[in-house]
Each structure stands twice: as C-alpha cells, then as structure tokens.
C-alpha cells in the first residue's frame, strides 16, 4: 500500500470518528462561481397510498436533452426510487428570478383527473440537489416544522390548485481542502467537478450545504408566455406567497411553470449538512424514550438472570456436595428436571423443519447484526440512498454458508451423527425463507404493476434477484451444509431411553406461557419499532443506528433469558418437549409485532387509503414479522440447547 492510500485511509478514519453517520467516499463537491448545478427528481411519494409514481407521470416540464435515468443501485430500485434529471438548472452563486421553464400542453381530461387524484392523495414532489433532498419549512402553532419535498398542489373550496412556481434557496459554504475532492470525488462528482489543470490550484469554489424550496401557486399572463423560450426571463415580476393560491387547474387550459433561485452563504459545514433532515420532529422524545426503555429492560433482564442463576446453581451445588451413597439415595428420590434425564434429548417432532428454521434464523440474525453495525459505524448513511438495502442483501447472500452449516450440524446432532439427508436439509434451508419472501414480493409486485407504480420491482431486477438467489445464496448454503456434514456432531451428555416418559398433566396449558413470554422481548423494542415504522411508512429519515444496535443486542439477551427460564420451568414440571417451545418462547415476539403493526395501521396511518395500500402494508409487515420470528426464535432455541446440554453434562445421573 502506497503513502497516498495510507493517507486517504487515515483521512477516512478521522472523518468517520468525527461524524458518525457519513459514508466513506461521500465527500464535498466543489462548484466554481457560475458553474452549473443540476436538480434531479425522485419518485412522487405519499404517506396516503405508500405507492410511488414517476415524476413525469404528471404533466410537468421535461428537460431539453430528454428524460434520463440516473445510475441507481439495487437498493434504490427495491425501495421504489426513480431518480431522473430535471429541467431546473442553476448557476453557482448567481441569483436568478422570474425564470420561465415551460408552458405545458392543454390539460387533457385524463391529466386533469390524474392531477386531482394525486392532490387528493397528498403526493409530494421530491427534488435533489448535490444529493440533498429539497426541504420545506412550515409554521404550525408557533413551531417550525420541516418536510422533505413539497405537495403537488392543494384543494381549496372544491378547486384544485397546482404549485407551478418554485422559490429555491441554496445554502452554500466556502470550499476548503480542494485536494481532498480531487482524490475522493465519487458518484455525481465526476459529472460536476471542474477539470483541474494546475496541481494545488486554489480556484475559489463553494459547497452546497442546504437546499430549501417554497412552492407557490401563481397565475401567469398567457400573452407574455407565448414568445418565451426555456430559461428566458418572464417579463412581469412574480410574487411568491406560500400562504395564498391563485392557479386553479382547469381542463383544456395549459399550465405555465416558473422558478427563482437565491444563494445564501451559511455557517453550516459540509459534515453537518444532513442535520436539518436528521433532526426531524420528536428526536428528543426518541432519545429519551430509548434510554428509558434500555434502563428498564436491563433492570428486568438483570433480575431474571440473578434469580435464574441462583436457582440452577443451588440445584447443581446440592448435587456436587453429596457423597456417593447420598447421591444414589437422592437419585431414587429425584424430582423436577432430573426425572426427564432419559427423554430430554429425544428428537423433536418435525426435526428437519426445526433445523431449516434455525439455519435461516442464523442467516437473518447475522445479516441484521452486521448491517446495523456497519450502519452505526457510518458505512450506510441516509446520504447514500439504497446502500442499506443493498448491504442487507449482500450480507444475507454471504451468510448462506452459516445457514447451511448450522442447519446440517443440528440435523446430524438430532440424528446422533447420522448425516443421511443433509443435502435435502441444506437445500430446503436455502429455499425456505427466500421462497416465502419471493412469494410475498411477487403478489405485491402484481398489485404495484397494476397501479403503474415505480414501487414495482422491474422485471430485469426480479431476474437479477432470482439469479443472486440460485447462483450465490443456494450454492453457498450447500457449501455450508457440506462443512456441517463434515464437522463433528454435538454429542449428548446422557443416554435417551427407548420408551418415552409420560408427561404429567399440567395445571395450565404450556403453550399459553410460551405465547405470553414474547411480551418481554417486545417491551425491549416497541419504542424503537415506532420510529422504524415511521421511517418506512411516514417518510421520516432513520439514522440512530447506534441505538438500534444496542437495542438489538439487548433483544438477543432478553430472548435468550426468556427462553432459558421457560425451558427450565418446563423441565421442572417434567415436560421434556422443550425443543419447539424454546423456539417459540422468544419467537412469539413476532405475534406482538404483527398486532402492533395492525395497531399502527389503524391509529397512525389513518389516511392510508384503498385496499391496495392496506394490502401492501400488511404484506410487508408479514414479511418483516416472519424474519423477526426466525431470528428471535433461533436465539431462544440455541441458548436453551446450550443450557440443557450444560445442565445435564454438569450433573452425573444414572
């Protein structure tokens, strides 16, 4: 590695330490005064329908050079983002006003109906400048609210008004460290960075640190417009009043679009430019609530652990302190968990399915931990759209090895070393969760295709996902299965009797306790769940991955403890069928998450309209809940398996 690479890496690390949520490689772009700035458009979005549509599906102005798609990663395509060029163009640090953009064709009956529909459904226009989404400020009850994007229009007294004049404000900061941009510039920087002819040139330049928009509804004079070409100055002054509307949409009449732009020097530095987006409403409540939740759950988990360890240790110490004669006598008077010694490792019902679920659970849990850790370290920031989804997909594919290994090794352990049928187990582990995911996505995709939404996964991407599944995930899972078949199986510390012991009648149904035990893990994450749901369905930016990582680790600990306690309780009442119960003891948190999702739909997404939107919401919720059940159930099962193995290996029982 050369000196330049080492210096670059050092700069990355320093940058990361200072600013926790920035992607290494995303660095300031230098724009010289008068240099071109191009605004891009993303899909139209609405929290009312949750179905994104292309910006150019409405009769907006198109750029002279034609509509071109920006390069998108797999994550952006899966999220429904469609970033395209727009006709809005600025010159760095050059204020302009009354710029004529275009006059649309006469509004047809179909366009008129569509515009009214999009305004009723509260669709937002999303603009992007230098990777920053346009932000809009509004006052409500004395508080300043921030929104990303602006509404297509507004309905007032049965008339529909379109926002056809945009007032832009671009916040800029004087450029420093010109050499870093030349070394580090990536992505869009390649298009916009000026060619540097002289090494070390300190040509004055600026960085974009803020992008604000004020939408207005303005009536234009048709006689003045007819002779104008795109980007020419409109001859009459335009008064932009965000509190008044005056441009009603009428069928058979054209719409005139104009804009103005003002540049303002700001003290905001480049690494802090995302603060305005991240500090959305409720952030203080967010931090306080998470901290409160962490303290309560840590306290509860501590109590459970102390009581549990003391009870088990007392049993073990009592056995160890007795001499041989007393132990023989004690074995004759065994009670509780010691009575099921000959049945505790008896193979469960449907062992292959259990192995498949555990294998898939390990894969999902590993993906979640690695992805959130990378996001917390700043490698997957909100500044780089789609990287989170792309990263999750990548880690999931790679961890197919872990899924195959764990599933097959558990299969061999249950079969006491017999590796017969391991290929079938590994193959099913590779297909179970992705198969269900593809089924759900295909059904939802048909709904989105039918609605002509950009949220629909393009057919080419669908093919790519299938190729990734069968060409990477499945082979890696089979490789993991091969290593699992070669690895030494876990030997049981006690022998299993040929005839199963009868389980005594219980005072209460054991499944009731299993289902109820999911409440404690749910208590760990339900506050965080609200903010995650808000980021997915309400268009808010989620960024506190450090806290999310802590919550995830805490969730793993609580799931393990809940499952251990429940397994111990079942063994104490001579119920030796602990395998599936330990899985569902912690996995039952998924039921509460699904109930919470329905509650969120009814009380928080009141505006969600139409059966398609509700089906999309429930479909994605079901997908999320299944993944959570597999991950948490796996934690519960593996911790219980370790505990039962340790418990019976520690006590010598004949």
């Amino acid at each position: 590695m050369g000196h330049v690479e080492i210096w670059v890496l050092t700069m990355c690390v320093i940058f990361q330490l200072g600013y926790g949520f920035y992607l290494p490689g995303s660095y300031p772009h230098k724009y010289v005064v008068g240099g071109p700035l191009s605004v891009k458009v993303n899909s139209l979005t609405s929290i009312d329908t949750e179905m994104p549509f292309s910006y150019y599906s409405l009769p907006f102005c198109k750029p002279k050079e034609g509509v071109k798609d920006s390069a998108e990663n797999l994550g952006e395509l899966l999220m429904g983002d469609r970033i395209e060029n727009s006709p809005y163009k600025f010159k760095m640090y050059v204020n302009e006003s009354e710029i004529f953009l275009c006059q649309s064709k006469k509004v047809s009956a179909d366009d008129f109906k569509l515009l009214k529909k999009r305004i009723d459904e509260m669709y937002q226009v999303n603009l992007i400048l230098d990777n920053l989404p346009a932000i809009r400020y509004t006052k409500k009850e004395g508080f300043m609210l921030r929104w990303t994007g602006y509404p297509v229009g507004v309905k007032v007294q049965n008339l529909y008004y379109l926002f056809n004049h945009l007032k832009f404000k671009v916040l800029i900061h004087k450029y420093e460290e010109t050499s870093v941009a030349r070394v580090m510039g990536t992505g869009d920087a390649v298009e916009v960075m000026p060619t540097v002819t002289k090494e070390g040139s300190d040509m004055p330049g600026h960085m974009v640190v803020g992008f604000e928009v004020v939408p207005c509804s303005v009536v234009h004079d048709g006689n003045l417009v007819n002779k104008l070409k795109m980007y020419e100055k409109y001859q009459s002054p335009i008064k932009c009043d965000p509190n008044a509307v005056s441009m009603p949409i009428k069928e058979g009449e054209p719409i005139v679009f104009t804009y103005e732009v003002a540049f303002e020097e700001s003290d905001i530095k480049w690494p802090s430019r995302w603060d305005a987006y991240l500090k959305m409403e409720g952030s203080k409540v967010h931090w306080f609530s998470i901290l409160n939740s962490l303290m309560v759950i840590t306290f509860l988990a501590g109590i459970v652990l102390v009581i549990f360890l003391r009870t088990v240790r007392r049993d073990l110490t009592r056995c160890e302190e007795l001499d041989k004669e007393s132990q023989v006598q004690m074995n004759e008077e065994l009670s509780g968990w010691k009575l099921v010694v000959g049945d505790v490792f008896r193979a469960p019902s449907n062992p292959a399915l259990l192995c498949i679920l555990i294998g898939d659970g390990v894969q999902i849990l590993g993906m979640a931990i690695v992805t959130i850790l990378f996001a917390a370290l700043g490698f997957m920031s909100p500044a780089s759209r789609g990287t989170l989804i792309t990263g999750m997909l990548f880690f999931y594919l790679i961890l197919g090895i872990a899924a195959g290994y764990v599933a097959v090794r558990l299969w061999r352990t249950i079969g006491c070393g017999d590796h017969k049928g391991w290929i079938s187990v590994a193959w099913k582990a590779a297909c179970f969760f992705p198969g269900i995911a593809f089924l759900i996505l295909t059904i939802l995709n048909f709904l989105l295709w039918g609605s002509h939404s950009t949220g629909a996964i393009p057919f080419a991407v669908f093919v790519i996902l299938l190729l990734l599944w069968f060409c990477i995930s499945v082979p890696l899972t089979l490789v993991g299965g091969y290593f699992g078949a070669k690895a030494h199986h876990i030997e049981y510390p006690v022998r299993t009797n040929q005839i199963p012991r009868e389980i005594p009648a219980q005072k209460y149904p054991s499944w009731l306790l299993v289902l109820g035990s999911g409440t404690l893990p749910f208590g760990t994450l339900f506050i965080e769940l609200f903010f995650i749901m808000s980021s997915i369905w309400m268009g808010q930016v989620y960024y506190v991955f450090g806290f999310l990582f802590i919550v995830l680790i805490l969730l793993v600990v609580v799931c393990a403890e809940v499952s251990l306690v429940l397994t111990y309780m079942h063994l104490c009442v001579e119920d030796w069928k602990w395998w599936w119960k330990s899985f569902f003891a912690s996995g039952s948190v998924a039921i509460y998450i699904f109930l919470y999702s329905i509650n969120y739909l009814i009380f928080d997404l009141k505006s969600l309209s139409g059966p398609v939107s509700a089906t999309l919401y429930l479909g994605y919720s079901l997908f999320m809940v299944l993944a959570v059940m597999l991950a948490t159930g796996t934690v519960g099962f593996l911790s219980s398996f370790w505990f039962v193995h340790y418990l019976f290996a520690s006590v010598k029982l004949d």
Side-chain angles (χ1 to χ4, degrees), residues 4 39 133 171 199 206 239 285 354 388 480 505 541 586 591 635 637:
V4 175
V39 176
L171 303 180
E199 190 65 26
H206 294 82
K239 188 184 176 187
V285 177
L354 182 65
L388 195 67
V541 181
S586 50
I591 296 169
V635 171
F637 172 81

Side-chain angles (χ1 to χ4, degrees), residues 28-31 92-93 170-176 204-210 263-271 273:
H29 304 159
K30 173 184 175 181
Y31 299 95
M92 173 55 82
Y93 220 162
V170 181
L171 303 180
I172 54 175
H173 189 80
K174 200 155 188 180
Y175 194 83
E176 300 147 10
H206 294 82
M207 303 170 290
V208 176
V209 293
F263 288 83
E264 186 180 296
E265 288 222 25
S266 169
D267 293 332
I268 298 168
K269 293 194 175 174
W270 167 268
R273 69 180 195 152

Side-chain angles (χ1 to χ4, degrees), residues 209-224:
V209 293
F211 183 38
E212 297 172 16
V213 63
V214 177
C216 299
S217 177
V218 178
V219 173
H220 296 91
D221 187 340
N223 296 324
L224 292 174

Side-chain angles (χ1 to χ4, degrees), residues 119-291:
I119 291 170
D120 281 335
E121 292 171 340
M122 300 189 294
Y123 269 86
Q124 301 277 322
V125 178
N126 299 295
L127 305 175
I128 301 164
L129 177 67
D130 191 42
N131 204 33
L132 280 180
I135 200 166
R136 177 172 57 98
Y137 291 93
T138 57
K139 271 192 178 180
K140 186 179 180 183
E141 297 172 2
F143 291 98
M144 190 66 82
L145 300 177
R146 304 178 187 90
W147 308 89
T148 50
Y150 67 91
V152 170
V154 66
K155 183 183 178 183
V156 181
Q157 296 175 348
N158 295 323
L159 281 176
Y160 290 85
Y161 294 87
L162 187 77
F163 291 124
N164 62 332
H165 178 83
L166 299 181
K167 184 179 181 180
F168 294 109
K169 181 160 81 172
V170 181
L171 303 180
I172 54 175
H173 189 80
K174 200 155 188 180
Y175 194 83
E176 300 147 10
E177 299 179 73
T178 51
S179 57
V180 175
R182 282 197 294 276
V183 175
M184 303 296 215
T186 57
D188 293 346
V190 178
E191 301 169 22
V192 297
M193 277 173 54
T195 308
V196 179
T197 53
K198 192 170 78 173
E199 190 65 26
S201 164
D202 55 354
M203 190 192 297
H206 294 82
M207 303 170 290
V208 176
V209 293
F211 183 38
E212 297 172 16
V213 63
V214 177
C216 299
S217 177
V218 178
V219 173
H220 296 91
D221 187 340
N223 296 324
L224 292 174
V225 166
N226 290 333
K227 298 173 185 177
L228 290 176
K229 292 180 180 176
M230 190 178 274
Y231 305 124
E232 288 186 351
K233 195 172 176 72
Y234 186 74
Q235 298 304 313
S236 173
I238 298 171
K239 188 184 176 187
C240 180
D241 182 1
N243 299 315
V245 287
S246 57
M247 173 57 211
I249 308 165
K250 292 178 184 174
E251 193 178 330
E253 288 189 12
I255 304 167
V256 176
F257 293 90
T258 53
Y259 70 96
E260 61 186 279
V261 59
F263 288 83
E264 186 180 296
E265 288 222 25
S266 169
D267 293 332
I268 298 168
K269 293 194 175 174
W270 167 268
S272 306
R273 69 180 195 152
W274 272 84
D275 287 2
Y277 304 87
L278 302 181
K279 291 176 180 173
M280 292 289 180
E281 297 309 308
S283 58
K284 287 183 182 176
V285 177
H286 187 164
W287 286 73
F288 176 76
S289 300
I290 293 171
L291 202 61

